[in-house]
Amino acid sequence: MNILVSGSVAYDRIMDFPGKFSDHILPEKTHLLNVCFMINELKENFGGTAGNIAYALSLFGETPKIIATSGRDFEPYKKWLEDHKISTMHIKMIEEELTAGAYITTDRSDNQITAFNPGAMKYSAWFDFDAAAKEVSLAIVSPGNLDDMMQFSKIYKQKGIEYIFDPGQSLPAWSKEHLMEAIDGAKIFICNDYEFQLTQDKTSMTSEDIIRGTDILIITKGEYGSAIICGENGTTKTYDVPAAKVSVVKDPTGAGDAYRAGLIKGLVSGKGIVHAAKIGAVCAAYAVEVYGTQNFHFTADEFKVRFKEVFKESPF
């Protein structure tokens, strides 16, 4: 299937601080803060919304196209994607910038201090939508360059391409008007429960208002599963999909992207929205069981067995 995934590609650089931030930050001295945390180690992982979604799709045997920007340090990440049969030809290189990067320091109490360098993500990506429009099965607009997110959602509507709108952590940067415009005409608007509240605060839209502009609203709730809200005969119908059981929770980062990949796989395979969400739930379970957003793996047979254990039916 021809799947377009726009968003970010980024390096996640995770640092482990063996102490507690609270032992080194004096509340009464925050106006002249100057601290240094000696870390135990630094782990570099491949990440970014588009990279994470595309990676998980590759485990399902899909070959998505990533639309994003990268910097001069992208070569190791590029090789990783190509090794997983993910096209990088539409990832625009910005030579004067570094690839976007998150620098995350975690202390012994699981508190985090994060700095994010958008780097190449400050620049717009490029894709020949005219040449590809008739071949696209589904697109997702995930968090990345804000101008791209606005522009791509408009292009998809103009060309009749079904798309999932997933603003995620970019929501604070959206104006009411632009956010409502991007939601209107999307096949699916997906967000977590916090992002849904933020969307309502920004737009004053209810779930019924959103459903009038888009076919389906999906609200993910972490360990509590997800709610699928559809318009049916002039009213809304909600279907609750439970989270898949996990053996251990190591790192929830990237679980949402894995969910979206499973959802997309289900949709392009012709499955209904609730069944597709179940595929997303099982894919997300794999993600939370490992550290890093692209360090989990499964075969088709392994996924089939796990899906049957959770939902007592076959995924495909």
Side-chain angles (χ1 to χ4, degrees), residues 67-69 92-94 120-127 145-149 151-152:
I67 307 172
T69 53
K92 181 179 176 182
M93 175 76 74
I94 310 297
M121 202 178 79
K122 297 194 296 282
Y123 296 79
S124 290
W126 181 89
F127 186 80
N145 178 277
L146 193 63
D147 289 337
D148 283 349
M149 296 179 73
Q151 187 65 20
F152 292 169

Side-chain angles (χ1 to χ4, degrees), residues 18-36:
K20 293 183 178 181
F21 296 144
S22 58
D23 293 336
H24 299 269
I25 299 176
L26 303 176
E28 69 277 9
K29 297 293 184 180
T30 53
H31 63 289
L32 41 76
L33 186 65
N34 186 356
V35 295
C36 175

